[in-house]
Amino acid sequence: QVQLVESGGGLVQPGGSLNLSCAASGGGDRINLMGWYRQAPGKQRELVATITTAGMTNYEDSVKGRTTISRGNVKNTVYLQMSRLKPEDTAVYYCGVRVGLFYAWGQGTQVTVSS
């Protein structure tokens, strides 16, 4: 059983920044992809960014240039740094990992961008 715990969400002013963390346990070397996804009110869950074990990254177009995804020094940890936040970035952010051929999801952390 793979378990994921996210942290770092909260209220951020427009133009501000955030740093989300995710730690996955139970996956070991079977985890081959880690990423961040988000779901805004009334919207479907969408990709924010992913990173492979080789360090290849993929970003959603609206966050390119102001977002960095990285893997931590501790195995199966991943971070998401975002700057120049906009109100439309408001969403529940989920950590997701690919375990073999399947996905596991965290509970999510709320990010609200508002003045």
Side-chain angles (χ1 to χ4, degrees):
Q1 298 286 351
V2 177
Q3 295 182 322
L4 293 83
V5 179
E6 306 106 328
S7 63
L11 178 63
V12 186
Q13 294 188 84
S17 62
L18 63 80
N19 192 338
L20 304 181
S21 301
C22 175
S25 61
D29 292 333
R30 295 179 296 138
I31 295 177
N32 51 61
L33 182 78
M34 303 191 74
W36 288 93
Y37 306 78
R38 65 186 181 185
Q39 186 168 20
K43 304 292 184 180
Q44 294 191 2
R45 187 176 300 184
E46 66 176 3
L47 166 76
V48 178
T50 59
I51 186 167
T52 69
T53 55
M56 294 177 56
T57 58
N58 184 39
Y59 297 94
E60 193 268 328
D61 287 342
S62 69
V63 305
K64 285 182 178 178
R66 60 190 184 96
T67 301
T68 300
I69 187 170
S70 60
R71 301 192 71 164
N73 293 328
V74 178
K75 188 176 182 179
N76 293 332
T77 59
V78 64
Y79 301 95
L80 185 75
Q81 296 173 302
M82 294 186 68
S83 62
R84 304 193 303 278
L85 289 167
K86 310 170 184 178
E88 50 263 45
D89 292 319
T90 295
V92 177
Y93 284 68
Y94 296 89
C95 180
V97 301
R98 189 174 183 88
V99 186
L101 300 178
F102 304 95
Y103 279 93
W105 301 96
Q107 188 174 2
T109 183
Q110 176 70 47
V111 173
T112 301
V113 183
S114 177
S115 60

